[in-house]
């Protein structure tokens, strides 16, 4: 009897050791992945405790992303990006783009010059038309509205003049006193600043720093582009948004709070998404995937770097019937500069 007992003990011990070893190997390979990610993204942690904390978050994100992609239930994938060592709340807190006070934008609603444009193409892509610069990275600064406004100004400038020049988001962060520096801002105010300032400098002449600083716009600053005004697209109307985007890239507010939104890695984004206004992006095209579902999409430019999404861009479902405001509220308050 004693003999058997020992065998059993050994067996249990064996299974336990095997399990523990498997877990240790798994843990080790996850740590290798984390170290590779740290090198790729140039992360630096102050101490071992911080690194361990970041490792646990990385591991959670990695496992979530892997199981999401394996399940293959959605028309998009997720990827380990710049946010892989951050929780969702941390991403929201470090990118405080909230356009909380959206009334401030709508109070100036006026004319919509594209209302009567009925001859609009089935698809348009301002990227391939050469009116869009590469996706920028706002870093840990709530400058999404500055980047969105700049992308829309770059677009209308290229359409009107033929010149495509990356423009200065930093100038808006530093100089638009109605904005909140790195703590958010309003698209219409960003356009107002550029109108009142008589123009905006190029990125090379007023480079992005990712922190709010003193305004460097003075007589010596060369203003590369200018606009005359801005107009709102009628709210919650994706047909009207199409009329506008057929003519130029358009700035939008959007709900960027969802977990999958932050970790989007390409494909057609279809939510889940809330109705909120927490982020700004720029619509730079639309079209239809002529597949089994004939899914209609918007093409959006983001400011989370080129390794987010599809080279920094996102395909998101257009005309989703269950969302009056457009998926992720994207059609809630679109606005574009005029020239
Ligand atoms: C959407 O906007 C267009 C003008 O661009 C207008 O003709 C149409 O009536 C609007 N639709 C709704 C539902 O308000
Ligand atoms: C940068 O500024 C200089 C003048 O300081 C100007 O000549 C040049 O055209 C500017 N570059 C761009 C790309 O706007
Ligand atoms: C004017 O702006 C330039 C950068 O564009 C800066 O180097 C210079 O210090 C500014 N001058 C003043 C007087 O603020």
């Amino acid at each position: 009897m004693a003999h058997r007992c020992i065998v059993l003990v050994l067996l249990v011990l064996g299974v336990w050791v095997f399990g523990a070893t498997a877990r240790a190997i798994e843990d080790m390979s996850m740590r290798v992945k984390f170290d590779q990610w740290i090198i790729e993204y140039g992360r630096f942690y102050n101490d071992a405790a911080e690194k361990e904390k970041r490792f646990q978050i990385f591991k959670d994100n990695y496992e979530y992303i892997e199981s999401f992609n394996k399940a293959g239930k959605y028309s998009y994938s997720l990827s380990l990006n710049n946010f892989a060592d951050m929780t969702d709340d941390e991403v929201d807190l470090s990118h405080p783009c909230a356009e909380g006070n959206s009334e401030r934008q709508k109070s100036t609603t006026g004319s919509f010059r594209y209302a009567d444009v009925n001859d609009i193409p089935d698809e348009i892509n301002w990227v391939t038309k050469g009116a869009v610069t590469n996706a920028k990275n706002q870093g840990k600064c709530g400058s999404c509205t500055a980047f969105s406004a700049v992308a829309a100004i770059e677009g209308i400038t290229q359409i009107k003049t033929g010149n495509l020049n990356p423009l200065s988001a930093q100038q808006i962060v530093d100089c638009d006193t109605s904005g909140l520096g790195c703590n958010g801002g309003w698209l219409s105010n960003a356009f107002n600043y550029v109108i009142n300032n008589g123009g905006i400098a190029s990125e090379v002449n007023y480079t992005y720093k990712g922190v709010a600083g003193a305004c460097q716009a003075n007589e010596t600053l060369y203003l590369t582009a200018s606009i005359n005004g801005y107009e709102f697209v009628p709210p919650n109307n994706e047909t009207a948004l199409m009329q506008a985007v057929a003519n130029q890239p358009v700035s939008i507010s959007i709900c960027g709070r969802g977990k999958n939104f932050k970790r989007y890695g390409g494909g057609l984004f279809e939510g889940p998404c809330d109705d909120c206004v927490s982020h700004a992006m720029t619509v730079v095209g639309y079209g239809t995937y002529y597949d089994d579902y004939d899914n209609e999409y918007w093409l959006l430019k983001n400011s989370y770097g080129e390794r987010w999404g599809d080279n920094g861009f996102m395909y998101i479902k257009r005309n989703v019937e269950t969302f009056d405001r457009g998926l992720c509220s994207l059609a809630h308050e679109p606005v574009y500069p005029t020239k």
Side-chain angles (χ1 to χ4, degrees), residues 16 48 76 116 137 147 155 171 174 182 205 218 231:
W16 182 81
Y76 63 97
D116 299 323
N137 194 345
F147 279 102
Q171 186 180 345
D174 292 350
C182 276
N205 278 339
N218 54 43
E231 289 174 358

Side-chain angles (χ1 to χ4, degrees), residues 120-122 237-247 286 298 318:
I120 47 176
D122 289 340
N237 183 333
E238 291 188 83
T239 307
L241 183 56
M242 196 175 168
Q243 290 173 309
V245 177
N247 286 282
Y286 63 79
W298 295 110
R318 186 159 62 92

